[in-house]
C-alpha cells in the first residue's frame, strides 16, 4: 500500500498511508494478537469489518480509476461510506485498546521497569492510554479532511444522482 503511493500508482499521501498502515499493524499485532483476552471482543469484529469494507471500496476505486472507467457508484461509495465506516473502525479500535488495558497492566506486557542496565523505563499501559488520547485531536482532522474531499469530488447533494 505504501509502495503504491510512493511510486504513484495510487494518488494518496505516503505519510498518511504510512501512518494508517503502521496503526493497523500496531492494533493487529501489539494489541489484538498480544492480548489474547481481547480477541473475542465484539470491538475487534467492528474494526476488522470497517477496515475490510473500506479497503474493498478503496481498491475498487483505484482499480477502476487506473482502467479509466470509474463507475459513479464506486466513486460515490469511496467518498460516502467513510461517514459510517470511519467512526465504526475508530470505535472498534478504541474499545479494543480499552479492553486490553487491564490485561496489559496485569501482565506488564512490553513494559520495562527500572532499575535496568540502560536506566530506561517504558510503561506500555500508559502508552496505550496516550494512544487512545491521541485519537481526540487526530480523528476530527482526518474525518473532516474526508468530508472536504467528499464535497470537492462529489459536489453538492443535488449532484448525487449523476451517472458516469
Amino acid at each position: 500500500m505504501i509502495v503504491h503511493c510512493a511510486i504513484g500508482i495510487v494518488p494518496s499521501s505516503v505519510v498518511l498511508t504510512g501512518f494508517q498502515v503502521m496503526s493497523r499493524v500496531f492494533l493487529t499485532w501489539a494489541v489484538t494478537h498480544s492480548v489474547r483476552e481481547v480477541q473475542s471482543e465484539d470491538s475487534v469484529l467492528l474494526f476488522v469489518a470497517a477496515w475490510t469494507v473500506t479497503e474493498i471500496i478503496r481498491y475498487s476505486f483505484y482499480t477502476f480509476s487506473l482502467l479509466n472507467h470509474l463507475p459513479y457508484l464506486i466513486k460515490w461509495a469511496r467518498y460516502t461510506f467513510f461517514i459510517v465506516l470511519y467512526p465504526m473502525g475508530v470505535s472498534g479500535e478504541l474499545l479494543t485498546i480499552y479492553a486490553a488495558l487491564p490485561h496489559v497492566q496485569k501482565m506488564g506486557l512490553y513494559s520495562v521497569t527500572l532499575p535496568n542496565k540502560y536506566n530506561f523505563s517504558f510503561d506500555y499501559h500508559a502508552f496505550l492510554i496516550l494512544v487512545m488520547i491521541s485519537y481526540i485531536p487526530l480523528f476530527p482532522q482526518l474525518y473532516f479532511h474526508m468530508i472536504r474531499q467528499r464535497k470537492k469530488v462529489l459536489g453538492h447533494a443535488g449532484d448525487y444522482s449523476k451517472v458516469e
Side-chain angles (χ1 to χ4, degrees):
M1 195 195 260
I2 297 170
V3 173
H4 295 164
C5 298
I7 63 175
I9 293 175
V10 294
S12 295
S13 162
V14 174
V15 173
L16 287 176
T17 302
F19 181 74
Q20 179 186 45
V21 169
M22 292 309 298
S23 70
R24 288 183 178 186
V25 169
F26 170 76
L27 222 21
T28 303
W29 179 78
V31 178
T32 309
H33 174 75
S34 298
V35 183
R36 297 207 185 276
E37 293 84 354
V38 301
Q39 292 175 7
S40 61
E41 294 285 331
D42 291 338
S43 58
V44 173
L45 180 61
L46 199 61
F47 77 74
V48 169
W51 291 358
T52 301
V53 174
T54 297
E55 293 309 320
I56 290 168
I57 293 168
R58 182 190 334 259
Y59 273 88
S60 296
F61 175 85
Y62 289 147
T63 300
F64 283 105
S65 293
L66 286 170
L67 296 172
N68 293 320
H69 183 69
L70 178 62
Y72 186 78
L73 180 62
I74 292 175
K75 181 198 270 188
W76 178 86
R78 169 80 170 101
Y79 291 100
T80 302
F81 280 37
F82 80 90
I83 293 168
V84 172
L85 292 172
Y86 202 9
M88 182 175 136
V90 166
S91 296
E93 293 168 18
L94 288 171
L95 289 168
T96 300
I97 296 170
Y98 183 77
L101 287 174
H103 306 288
V104 167
Q105 189 169 37
K106 181 180 175 185
M107 296 184 301
L109 185 68
Y110 303 131
S111 294
V112 178
T113 58
L114 288 171
N116 61 56
K117 67 180 181 178
Y118 301 109
N119 199 27
F120 168 81
S121 70
F122 175 74
D123 185 343
Y124 188 57
H125 180 266
F127 175 76
L128 288 177
I129 292 169
L130 289 174
V131 167
M132 292 175 68
I133 292 169
S134 76
Y135 277 69
I136 295 168
L138 294 176
F139 173 75
Q141 287 181 31
L142 295 172
Y143 190 76
F144 289 117
H145 168 73
M146 284 302 295
I147 294 285
R148 287 188 299 277
Q149 288 296 106
R150 181 178 195 271
K151 187 173 182 178
K152 181 174 140 184
V153 171
L154 296 181
H156 298 291
D159 297 337
Y160 296 153
S161 61
K162 289 183 187 174
V163 177
E164 289 184 1

